[in-house]
């Protein structure tokens, strides 16, 4: 259909008619294209600039060092990931430092508990467990790495009252030591018939110096094997029974550490780096 504005002569030239009708739009498109081309060529690098920049990077002007500073921090995770060979530390209470509680006739806590501690260590070693007999302030305790630590002490030789009998256990406040604590409590109570004397656990026991010295992640407990006064016949006269009970408790704990799987000491990895462990 033809409109009233159609040029009668333009019938045969539709292209010219189109240009005529859209002249302003086409002019705008031409100008903007020219402006974009001008901007493109104005900001384009001259040929060879990229190569110059690359060559110049050896001077360091355009490069940053590939160094990321990482603050040093202790690798504590590795202890739980690969526990290493089974090892138990036994502290012979007061040994190398003082005598501990002293009875009227001269019997000392240090000698009573040493009698027990040496037997625990030899029992464990007989069963194929690496065990260290440690003094009270043994230098090896600083950063000591072990599967567990048991410090053996005894309570006062003074007569307090008829209730001053029984044993008690305090665990490290730094590492969860409940598995070790429960195993020894069970075994010790069963073998000795002593009651668990919970209400005389002092802050001195829970904040025991060795707990602060152990490597992070090493469970530790302090065991007061009984009172030197009322429990003396048992403590002084039956060290084998007491040592056997403590060793059984440690054995129970080690079974839990090993996931209930009993492995012989020959199957344990040798100490020191092994092939494939070098990182
Ligand atoms: Zn003591």
């Amino acid at each position: 259909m033809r409109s009233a504005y159609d040029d009668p002569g333009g019938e045969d030239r539709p292209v010219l008619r189109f240009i005529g009708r859209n002249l302003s739009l086409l002019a705008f498109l031409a100008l903007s294209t020219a402006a974009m081309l001008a901007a493109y060529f104005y900001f384009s690098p001259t040929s060879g600039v990229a190569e110059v920049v690359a060559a110049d990077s050896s001077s360091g002007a355009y490069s940053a060092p590939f160094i990321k500073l990482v603050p040093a921090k202790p690798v504590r995770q590795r202890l739980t990931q690969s526990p290493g060979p089974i090892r138990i530390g036994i502290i012979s209470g007061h040994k190398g430092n003082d005598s501990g509680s002293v009875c009227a006739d001269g019997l000392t806590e240090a000698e009573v508990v040493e009698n027990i501690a040496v037997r625990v260590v030899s029992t464990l070693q007989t069963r194929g467990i690496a065990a260290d007999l440690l003094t009270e302030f043994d230098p090896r305790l600083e950063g000591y790495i072990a599967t567990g630590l048991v410090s053996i002490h005894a309570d006062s030789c003074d007569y307090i009252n008829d209730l001053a009998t029984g044993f008690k256990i305090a665990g490290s406040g730094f590492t969860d030591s409940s598995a070790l604590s429960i195993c020894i409590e069970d075994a010790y109570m069963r073998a000795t018939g002593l009651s668990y004397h919970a209400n005389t656990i002092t802050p001195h026991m829970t904040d025991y110096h060795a707990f602060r010295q152990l490597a992070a992640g090493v469970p530790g407990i302090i065991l007061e094997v009984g009172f030197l006064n009322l429990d003396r016949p048992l403590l002084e006269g039956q060290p084998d029974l007491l040592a056997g009970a403590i060793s059984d408790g440690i054995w129970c704990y080690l079974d839990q550490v090993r996931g209930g799987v009993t492995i012989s000491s020959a199957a344990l990895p040798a100490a020191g780096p092994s092939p494939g462990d070098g990182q």
Side-chain angles (χ1 to χ4, degrees):
M1 185 183 259
R2 300 170 68 179
S3 82
Y5 298 100
D6 280 342
D7 176 7
E11 189 81 16
D12 304 327
R13 289 179 283 182
V15 174
L16 286 178
R17 198 151 55 94
F18 178 80
I19 290 172
R21 280 184 181 176
N22 300 285
L23 191 59
S24 59
L25 180 62
L26 290 170
F28 170 76
L29 285 173
L31 280 172
S32 58
T33 302
M36 282 191 285
L37 285 171
Y40 172 76
F41 285 111
Y42 181 79
F43 289 108
S44 286
T46 56
S47 75
V49 167
E51 287 77 5
V52 170
V53 168
D56 199 37
S57 67
S58 59
S59 71
Y62 297 95
S63 65
F66 282 95
I67 296 170
K68 188 182 177 190
L69 292 174
V70 178
K73 64 176 183 180
V75 189
R76 293 186 171 173
Q77 198 67 18
R78 181 174 287 183
L79 201 66
T80 48
Q81 282 174 342
S82 51
I86 298 289
R87 175 170 290 273
I88 294 290
I90 302 291
I91 293 180
S92 183
H94 302 275
K95 185 176 167 63
N97 188 62
D98 63 297
S99 55
S101 302
V102 184
C103 299
D105 64 352
L107 180 73
T108 66
E109 174 191 350
E111 63 183 291
V112 167
V113 298
E114 184 174 11
N115 250 340
I116 300 165
V118 293
R119 284 167 168 78
V120 172
V121 168
S122 72
T123 303
L124 291 175
Q125 287 170 345
T126 304
R127 293 184 181 187
I129 302 296
D132 298 316
L133 183 64
L134 304 163
T135 60
E136 184 66 64
F137 292 97
D138 203 298
R140 287 173 287 178
L141 281 170
E142 203 58 58
Y144 186 64
I145 295 174
T147 320
L149 175 99
V150 179
S151 179
I152 303 177
H153 282 252
D155 259 310
S156 170
C157 202
D158 300 332
Y159 176 80
I160 301 161
N161 58 41
D162 286 344
L163 296 174
T165 171
F167 70 102
K168 58 198 178 192
I169 296 172
S172 166
F174 300 93
T175 306
D176 178 18
S177 308
S178 53
L180 178 61
S181 181
I182 290 166
C183 272
I184 290 193
E185 183 184 327
D186 281 353
Y188 198 80
M189 197 184 289
R190 212 172 331 115
T192 64
L194 287 174
S195 59
Y196 186 70
H197 201 100
N199 49 355
T200 54
I201 291 174
T202 61
H204 186 68
M205 281 179 77
T206 50
D207 190 34
Y208 184 50
H209 70 87
F211 298 159
R212 280 181 260 120
Q213 294 177 278
L214 295 173
V218 177
I221 63 163
I222 178 167
L223 165 68
E224 302 266 3
V225 291
F227 285 80
L228 277 169
N229 188 296
L230 293 180
D231 303 325
R232 177 168 174 169
L234 184 66
L235 304 193
E236 191 186 12
Q238 302 199 59
D240 284 314
L241 174 79
L242 305 189
I246 296 166
S247 305
D248 285 347
I250 292 170
W251 195 255
C252 150
Y253 165 67
L254 292 180
D255 265 351
Q256 291 190 15
V257 169
R258 295 179 293 209
V261 179
T262 305
I263 47 173
S264 72
S265 57
L268 292 171
S274 58
D277 198 29
Q279 49 170 322

